[in-house]
Structures are given as structure tokens and as C-alpha cells.
């Protein structure tokens, strides 16, 4: 079991407690996938490429195709993670602290009706029904590495559009320096919201220039379909150069503020989880190294092959300049 407490933050499981992975069913047939008709145009993107690579097809949720993004850094030739891994090995503490809890428990999350409130220092605040938010800009497919602070990673084809599109529409005021993301905390549908593991609601934040960066994705889907509940339906953020915990799930408020907002993990253990949380192989977590990572699907044990973690998770060319002159050991 993954033990977790206010004081301890993320705690590595013991080797004997790791659920065996990499034993998922054999390869799937692209024709079968296409027969489901579910992924539509997105098939041309990730599915076309991964047909031979053994990605388990989705096909159970509503289609949400996105055109292959031309934003620099939004594509990669790395092997895409299996859909089954991406949807059954999750962190979503509102539904439990074990990696397998969200897929078991998140069916209770009610994703309709759903409203996202945009508030704070903007000229055009407002409430968006999720259906309208989805239509606000063209959906794109972005294939991003997601690197969790715990030392594992996946490669996932997300569907959404740059958060900057929304930000431009709501017109931030000059004194808006940060964007805060507040997520749903509903004790009736989220069994762990009553627990003391974190301060609920789970909240995250970005500096305005980070939020405006084209790679920051307001995300509605993955693998050509809408997000499964356990991955943060109906809308989440994905910030590919930061540790996964910055990518807040099931967002209900986007708030523009002047001061750096408090964030869930920073409040829980400030010495372990800073506000920036940029992926950085040179800055260790106080209790473990961040130099390498285990790609989920590449082997089952702690001794499985690990790969080097890249500065800014491999997005240095795109985002490095945002942090020019900053001491990244201090601003971790
Ligand atoms: N968002 C909420 N609301 N609650 C959470 O517990 N966990 C974070 C992030 N967003 C979390 C969250 C962490 S630690 C990670 S690694 C990613 O979601 C995992 O996203 P995934 O399950 O889609 O891979």
C-alpha cells in the first residue's frame, strides 16, 4: 500500500507491494479499433502510429477527436503508453491513495452538469457550461510525456486546446500575475475528500507566463475520447514540463490572482513540493533522486530498466527561457 500522510508526502511503496505490470493482454488489432468507430479522426494520429505497438484500444467513451497539434513540442516519436496503463495506474487522491483506487472508485464522479467558473482579476469573468468550454477553441491532439514526482512516467495522447485560448478570451487585468485551478471536492461522490491526506479542494497554480505558454493544455480528452473519470473528467490541466501533480483534475474554478496561490502539495509539505515543480533531474526530492524514471509498461519491478529524466521533462527548448536567471534549486 502507498502510505501517505501530511508529514510524509509521497512515499515509495516497497518492492513487494508493487502490482505486477507489463503483463497486459496481447496486442490489439487496428481494424478492431476502427470497427468501434469511437476514436474517429484521432485514429490518424496516435492510433495509426501505435497500431503495431500494442496499445490497448479505448472505445468505451464518447469520441473526442483532435487534429494533430503543430505547437512545437506537442508531438513525440516515443512509444505511447497503453490506454489500460494510463487509465488504471493513477493518482487521484479524492478517490483513494493507491494507484488502482481511482479506476475502481471514480465511477461515482458526476461530470454532467458541469460548470467552470472563471473569476478574479479578469475583465470578462463568467461561468462556462462544460459543453461550451469544449467548443471554445479547436481540439488538438498533443502527445506529452507525463512525469510523476514519484519517479514514473507515461506518454499520453491528450486532446484539448492551449489554456492561452481561454485566457485571451477572458482578458486578464494588468495585476493578474498567477492563475489558480480549483478542483471539485464533493464528499458525496469522492470518498477520500473527508480524509486528512490533503487540504481539499485540491488546488494548483501557475505563473501567468506559464499558463499562457502554448504547451499548457486545457484538456478534455485522451486517446481520441473524452477523459475517463479517473483521469480528471470532464476537464483538467496538463503542464508537460512540470511534475504530474501540477496537472489538476476535474477543475471547477479558474481564478486570476495577484499573489502566488497556495497549492495542495505545497501546503502538505512545502520543503518537498515547491510552487514551480519543474521536472529537474538535478534537484533531488529530499527523500529520493529525480535523476531517472521508470516508464510504465516497460517492466514490472523496481529493478526494471530506468531511463534518464530530462531537464524540464524534455521541453527545455520550449520553456527554458521562462526560468532564465532563476535559481532552480531555490525555486524548485
Ligand atoms: N488532481 C486532483 N484533483 N487530485 C489528485 O490527487 N493527482 C496529481 C494530478 N492531478 C491529482 C490531480 C498527480 S500526483 C498526478 S501524477 C497526475 O494527476 C496523474 O494524472 P493521470 O492519472 O492522468 O496520469
Amino acid at each position: 500500500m502507498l502510505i501517505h500522510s501530511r508529514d510524509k508526502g509521497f512515499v515509495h511503496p516497497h518492492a513487494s507491494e508493487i502490482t505486477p505490470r507489463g503483463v497486459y493482454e496481447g496486442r490489439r488489432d487496428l481494424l478492431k479499433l476502427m470497427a468501434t468507430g469511437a476514436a474517429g479522426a484521432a485514429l490518424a494520429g496516435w492510433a495509426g502510429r501505435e497500431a503495431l505497438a500494442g496499445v490497448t484500444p479505448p472505445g468505451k467513451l464518447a469520441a473526442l477527436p483532435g487534429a494533430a497539434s503543430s505547437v512545437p513540442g506537442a508531438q513525440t516519436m516515443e512509444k505511447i503508453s497503453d490506454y489500460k496503463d494510463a487509465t488504471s495506474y493513477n493518482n487521484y487522491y479524492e478517490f483513494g491513495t493507491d494507484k488502482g483506487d481511482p479506476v475502481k472508485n471514480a465511477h461515482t464522479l458526476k461530470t454532467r452538469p458541469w460548470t467552470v467558473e472563471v473569476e478574479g482579476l479578469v475583465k470578462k469573468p463568467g461561468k462556462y457550461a462544460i459543453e461550451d468550454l469544449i467548443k471554445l477553441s479547436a481540439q488538438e491532439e498533443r502527445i506529452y510525456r507525463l512525469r510523476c514526482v514519484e519517479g514514473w512516467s507515461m506518454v499520453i495522447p491528450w486532446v484539448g486546446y492551449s489554456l492561452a485560448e481561454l485566457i485571451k478570451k477572458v482578458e486578464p487585468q494588468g495585476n493578474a500575475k498567477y492563475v489558480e485551478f480549483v478542483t471539485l471536492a464533493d464528499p458525496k461522490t469522492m470518498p477520500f475528500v473527508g480524509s486528512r491526506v490533503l487540504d481539499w479542494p485540491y488546488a494548483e497554480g501557475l505563473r501567468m507566463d506559464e499558463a499562457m505558454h502554448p504547451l499548457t493544455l486545457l484538456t478534455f480528452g485522451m486517446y481520441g475520447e473524452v477523459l475517463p473519470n479517473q483521469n480528471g473528467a470532464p476537464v483538467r490541466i496538463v503542464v508537460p514540463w512540470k511534475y504530474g501533480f501540477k496537472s489538476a483534475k476535474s477543475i471547477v474554478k479558474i481564478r486570476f490572482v495577484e499573489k502566488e496561490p497556495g497549492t495542495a502539495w505545497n501546503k502538505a509539505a512545502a520543503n518537498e513540493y515547491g510552487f514551480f515543480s519543474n521536472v529537474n533531474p538535478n534537484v533531488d526530492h529530499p527523500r529520493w533522486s529525480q535523476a531517472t524514471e521508470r516508464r510504465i509498461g516497460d517492466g514490472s519491478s523496481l529493478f526494471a530498466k530506468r531511463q534518464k529524466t530530462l531537464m524540464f521533462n524534455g521541453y527545455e527548448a520550449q520553456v527554458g527561457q521562462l526560468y532564465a536567471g532563476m535559481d532552480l534549486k531555490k525555486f524548485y
Side-chain angles (χ1 to χ4, degrees):
M1 195 172 95
L2 185 66
I3 302 156
H4 208 284
S5 82
R6 227 168 231 289
D7 307 318
K8 287 178 177 167
F10 287 104
V11 176
H12 276 319
H14 295 294
S16 61
E17 292 168 337
I18 292 201
T19 312
R21 308 201 65 75
V23 289
Y24 293 129
E25 303 91 280
R27 295 174 178 237
R28 296 296 198 276
D29 180 0
L30 177 63
L31 291 175
K32 198 167 142 201
L33 170 60
M34 295 186 108
T36 68
L43 282 174
W46 71 271
R49 213 184 81 195
E50 296 302 313
L52 302 172
V55 168
T56 305
K60 292 204 178 77
L61 302 174
L64 186 66
S69 176
S70 58
V71 168
Q75 304 294 335
T76 166
M77 286 317 289
E78 280 172 285
K79 184 180 178 297
I80 288 174
S81 299
D82 195 290
Y83 179 80
K84 198 166 174 185
D85 285 339
T87 56
S88 62
Y89 189 82
N90 301 103
N91 278 328
Y92 196 165
Y93 276 39
E94 289 84 336
F95 294 102
T97 55
D98 279 359
K99 297 285 174 280
D101 286 344
V103 68
K104 270 189 268 156
N105 300 333
H107 58 91
T108 52
L109 176 65
K110 218 172 140 253
T111 59
R112 291 295 186 283
W114 191 279
T115 309
V116 177
E117 222 172 321
V118 179
E119 59 179 39
L121 305 172
V122 283
K123 292 187 193 129
K124 295 184 175 164
K127 286 186 183 175
Y128 291 83
I130 188 69
E131 293 81 2
D132 297 331
L133 197 61
I134 289 176
K135 283 188 263 167
L136 194 100
S137 192
Q139 298 292 326
E140 291 187 2
E141 184 187 87
R142 310 272 183 94
I143 303 176
Y144 287 163
R145 288 176 287 279
L146 181 125
R147 165 64 157 85
C148 183
V149 73
E150 298 163 295
W152 51 266
S153 61
M154 296 199 212
V155 179
I156 297 178
W158 302 103
V159 182
Y161 54 78
S162 293
L163 176 66
E165 299 297 325
L166 173 65
I167 298 181
K168 280 184 242 158
K169 290 222 160 65
V170 300
E171 298 180 26
Q173 296 170 15
N175 54 345
K177 300 278 189 288
Y178 294 89
V179 185
E180 182 181 9
F181 306 96
V182 182
T183 73
L184 185 71
D186 175 17
K188 289 205 264 334
T189 54
M190 300 171 135
F192 273 70
V193 157
S195 77
R196 297 192 53 207
V197 173
L198 288 171
D199 246 358
W200 312 101
Y202 192 103
E204 259 306 336
L206 294 172
R207 213 170 56 185
M208 185 62 92
D209 58 346
E210 299 176 321
M212 285 294 291
H213 193 282
L215 284 175
T216 300
L217 191 70
L218 192 62
T219 309
F220 304 95
M222 57 197 279
Y223 297 82
E225 296 182 356
V226 298
L227 289 168
N229 288 358
Q230 63 272 26
N231 291 86
V235 56
R236 68 179 290 177
I237 206 82
V238 180
V239 192
W241 70 95
K242 293 178 180 282
Y243 290 116
F245 68 89
K246 294 298 279 184
S247 297
K249 294 176 168 179
S250 307
I251 293 169
V252 290
K253 275 191 182 140
I254 300 179
R255 191 182 283 148
F256 291 75
V257 295
E258 188 161 7
K259 298 217 168 71
E260 187 182 288
T263 61
W265 280 105
N266 184 253
K267 282 189 209 163
N271 65 323
E272 303 195 355
Y273 312 107
F275 177 78
F276 285 96
S277 306
N278 293 318
V279 173
N280 188 341
N282 309 314
V283 176
D284 289 343
H285 183 279
R287 289 180 287 119
W288 61 81
S289 161
Q290 293 290 21
T292 63
E293 66 202 58
R294 179 173 63 99
R295 187 58 57 83
I296 299 297
D298 275 2
S300 60
S301 80
L302 273 184
F303 307 104
K305 189 177 68 175
R306 295 180 72 87
Q307 61 189 71
K308 280 193 172 157
T309 288
L310 300 174
M311 188 65 200
F312 296 113
N313 202 22
Y315 302 95
E316 184 168 18
Q318 291 80 29
V319 303
Q321 77 282 359
L322 297 178
Y323 309 100
M326 277 175 69
D327 178 353
L328 298 178
K329 285 208 159 72
K330 189 166 165 213
F331 299 101
Y332 55 88

